[in-house]
Amino acid sequence: MGSATREALSNSRSALAGLGGKAQLATGEQLLAAGRVLGTSFQLRAALADPSGDRDAKLSIVNAVFASIDASARELLGVIATNVWSSEDDLLAGVEEIGIRVLAQSAPSSDIEAELFAFGAVVQSDSQLELAVGSKLGSDESKAALIERLLGAKASKQSVAIVSHLVQQPRGRRIGELLRFATSVVADEAGLAVATVTTASAISAEQLTRLTAALSANYGRGLRINHVIDPSLVGGVRVQLGDEVIDGSVASRLNELRLQLA
């Protein structure tokens, strides 16, 4: 991530904070929809991502093209568009992130992270489903309809909106990566980080609570834990937080021993 994008993201997040926690579901949905419009229009995307472009001209474009979206969504999109991004793709990523953060704010009582994680686990275990939501051959409309059928009655409207957007605009990312990104953004909006804890067998709620407390103390921030059971680990625990992996599993140690013997 370039320095321009880091500053643009910071400014965009500050604009979201300026809404004072009044984010609405429709605002987040409209922002993500605007991002998809930008993704399909090279001219529009280029005009808003041009680092030398005039600020007032960009605002005029946003107000003209997206006149139908609500005032909050248009205001946030205007802030995003008038900042300088390192690339056009970073601009799209910025719209996506702010849209997901708005949706997270609009559902403080819903466990969106858990819903996204659960859907990711289902997709990972079903190769046909993964192909259906990730194929370049399927239309955006058919993918959105599939997500509605799968999640509409089981998950929050916020989670459905996030997943529907991700499968329509993957930008070269696989579904697992898309869901991990969205989960991390939702957790960060709540001041948390997401850690995936994998064990060979089920552990008690008390053990999971102690592990969460220990990891939170180690990383210096609150954590939301996703627990996965994988018998192939044999024993021990593997923890993944972002790109960092702590592998204390028996399987990992056995593999290290095999490498040493080889």
Side-chain angles (χ1 to χ4, degrees):
M1 182 187 298
S3 58
T5 289
R6 281 194 292 271
E7 182 176 352
L9 267 178
S10 177
N11 293 338
S12 301
R13 291 167 184 165
S14 295
L16 174 56
L19 292 180
K22 298 179 181 179
Q24 301 293 321
L25 170 66
T27 301
E29 290 177 323
Q30 290 169 1
L31 266 178
L32 293 181
R36 295 194 295 276
V37 171
L38 289 172
T40 58
S41 173
F42 170 76
Q43 289 182 323
L44 181 58
R45 191 169 65 252
L48 296 183
D50 183 0
S52 62
D54 179 73
R55 181 181 183 278
D56 291 337
K58 290 183 178 182
L59 280 178
S60 295
I61 292 173
V62 168
N63 290 328
V65 176
F66 300 103
S68 62
I69 66 177
D70 68 39
S72 294
R74 195 162 56 250
E75 179 182 346
L76 289 170
L77 188 58
V79 171
I80 295 169
T82 54
N83 270 275
V84 177
W85 300 83
S86 300
S87 68
E88 292 181 15
D89 194 62
D90 281 358
L91 169 66
L92 291 179
V95 176
E96 181 176 273
E97 179 179 323
I98 299 303
I100 292 174
R101 287 181 182 275
V102 170
L103 290 171
Q105 281 192 14
S106 74
S109 60
S110 296
D111 195 352
I112 300 176
E113 301 107 295
E115 293 173 346
L116 296 177
F117 179 76
F119 181 69
V122 171
V123 172
Q124 188 175 12
S125 66
D126 189 330
S127 58
Q128 289 187 327
L129 177 57
E130 182 175 11
L131 179 62
V133 298
S135 174
K136 295 180 180 179
L137 301 178
S139 68
D140 289 347
E141 293 76 13
S142 64
K143 291 179 182 179
L146 175 60
I147 296 304
E148 181 62 37
R149 290 198 301 273
L150 292 171
L151 294 179
K154 301 177 182 178
S156 64
K157 292 181 179 179
Q158 286 80 3
S159 292
V160 174
I162 290 171
V163 178
S164 179
H165 167 77
L166 294 175
V167 299
Q168 291 181 76
Q169 192 179 73
R171 302 196 337 270
R173 300 165 294 176
R174 294 178 65 88
I175 185 64
E177 180 185 355
L178 290 166
L179 292 169
R180 285 192 295 273
F181 164 74
T183 301
S184 67
V185 172
V186 171
D188 185 68
E189 187 59 31
L192 303 170
V194 176
T196 299
V197 173
T198 306
T199 58
S201 59
I203 60 177
S204 68
E206 182 182 354
Q207 288 174 310
L208 191 58
T209 298
R210 290 202 303 267
L211 179 59
T212 301
L215 290 171
S216 295
N218 183 62
Y219 285 101
R221 68 181 304 185
L223 293 179
R224 185 65 59 86
I225 300 295
N226 290 322
H227 182 212
V228 177
I229 298 175
D230 182 358
S232 69
L233 294 187
V234 184
V237 179
R238 182 172 65 211
V239 178
Q240 180 170 357
L241 180 61
D243 294 329
E244 184 177 356
V245 178
I246 304 173
D247 196 340
S249 66
V250 172
S252 175
R253 291 195 290 270
L254 288 174
N255 187 55
E256 290 177 359
L257 180 60
R258 281 195 291 270
L259 290 174
Q260 292 172 7
L261 292 175

